[in-house]
Amino acid sequence: MNEATHLLATDLDGTLVGDRKGLDRLLGFYESQEYDVSLIYITGRHHQSAMSLIEQENLPIPEVLITDVGTEIHLGPALEKDSAWEHRMLKHWQPEAIDKLAASFKGLKKQDLPVSNRCSFYAEDSDTVLAFEQRLASAGIPHKLIFSGGRDLDILPAESGKGAALQYILDKFNAHEAKMLVAGDSGNDKEMLTLGFPSVIVGNAQPELLQSPESPMIFRASKVCAGGIQEAWNYFHPE
Ligand code: GLC
Ligand code: MG
């Protein structure tokens, strides 16, 4: 990551992964360039699940792997956990209080996950999410709420999230000068897609992203998944 000149920060499911032919074409395209593209994967999956996907799909090993909707960061050749980030993010985190409040909502089912840095649920509908959000606010519990795909509800430490984690990494490696593209397909990607860097919403995106406001830095691809990434790369970084 140090001195990266080109950088792809991408979600996995439904963005980099989802169309095999498009993915092979994108990787081949990057191979054929004179420059190297540093990879940052930013996924909602938990760390082990992300590692399995990388193996299963034979994806290039990234330089930084951000998992759990931006609540865990692993980096370097051995993909070691970034404890400084974890420490900072968990300062005001109250997972027990959040779970206790959630238990009184019939429309929320806790996701079965091996992590405590986020509280994730399956929500029955958006009214349940709204009511829960009000309860969290009136209880004064610091958090960030992310609703994706009309079903997945993530309650995260207030200082975390895909956008906050990506910004932390760019600051850490002083990588602001790199030619960059941020790519995503669903609600949990919104924060990183609206940081102001060249970004792409791939053609198969979820409705919650298709409705987001227009911006010159957000390219709406017509191609799905990795094909959409390549389309946007050519748009922002023609060489
Ligand atoms: C992924 C994760 C899930 C999370 C969702 C939305 O599907 O597996 O835990 O709620 O992304 O961020
Ligand atoms: Mg996705």
Side-chain angles (χ1 to χ4, degrees):
M1 277 286 298
N2 280 320
E3 289 160 39
T5 59
H6 295 76
L7 221 163
L8 174 67
T10 182
D11 170 53
L12 294 178
D13 297 272
T15 306
L16 186 66
V17 175
D19 174 30
R20 186 73 242 178
K21 281 199 185 125
L23 174 56
D24 290 340
R25 267 198 295 270
L26 175 70
L27 296 177
F29 166 75
Y30 282 151
E31 268 309 296
S32 70
Q33 301 305 311
E34 277 171 14
Y35 51 80
D36 287 330
V37 179
S38 297
L39 293 173
I40 303 179
Y41 295 161
I42 311 180
T43 175
R45 289 182 179 234
H46 64 82
H47 183 71
Q48 268 321 314
S49 163
M51 291 304 289
S52 307
L53 182 72
I54 289 170
E55 198 187 310
Q56 194 184 309
E57 295 291 331
N58 202 14
L59 302 177
I61 304 294
E63 295 187 37
V64 180
L65 176 59
I66 299 173
T67 60
D68 297 278
V69 205
T71 62
E72 250 190 65
I73 301 178
H74 287 74
L75 72 185
L79 286 180
E80 272 177 65
K81 197 188 227 183
D82 187 326
S83 325
W85 163 258
E86 182 156 63
H87 188 72
R88 185 170 105 169
M89 177 198 76
L90 292 182
K91 254 191 205 143
H92 307 289
W93 182 227
Q94 303 173 35
E96 294 84 9
I98 293 166
D99 282 345
K100 203 166 153 206
L101 264 192
S104 62
F105 283 80
K106 269 216 315 272
L108 292 180
K109 191 171 167 286
K110 178 102 176 157
Q111 292 184 24
D112 186 16
L113 291 168
V115 295
S116 59
N117 287 2
R118 62 175 163 126
C119 294
S120 295
F121 306 90
Y122 297 120
E124 219 163 69
D125 48 47
S126 53
D127 286 347
T128 304
V129 175
L130 224 71
F132 185 45
E133 188 167 23
Q134 281 162 4
R135 286 289 296 281
L136 286 167
S138 57
I141 299 174
H143 68 280
K144 186 175 276 179
L145 180 147
I146 315 271
F147 190 37
S148 316
R151 185 190 73 148
D152 297 328
L153 176 65
D154 302 305
I155 309 298
L156 314 175
E159 297 79 7
S160 70
K162 287 187 169 192
L166 175 57
Q167 189 68 63
Y168 167 82
I169 287 298
L170 297 176
D171 293 345
K172 182 171 177 133
F173 290 99
N174 201 8
H176 308 93
E177 300 299 313
K179 290 192 173 163
M180 183 161 153
L181 181 67
V182 184
D185 78 310
S186 83
N188 70 6
D189 300 317
K190 198 171 199 165
E191 189 184 83
M192 64 174 183
L193 292 167
T194 52
L195 286 174
F197 300 111
S199 297
V200 57
I201 295 177
V202 291
N204 54 299
Q206 295 289 324
E208 69 257 14
L209 274 194
L210 297 174
Q211 289 151 9
S212 61
E214 298 293 329
S215 144
M217 290 310 250
I218 299 184
F219 179 84
R220 288 161 198 270
S222 55
K223 296 208 172 107
V224 304
C225 305
I229 297 179
Q230 191 171 345
E231 210 184 318
W233 190 273
N234 285 324
Y235 172 79
F236 285 114
H237 309 304
E239 270 167 54

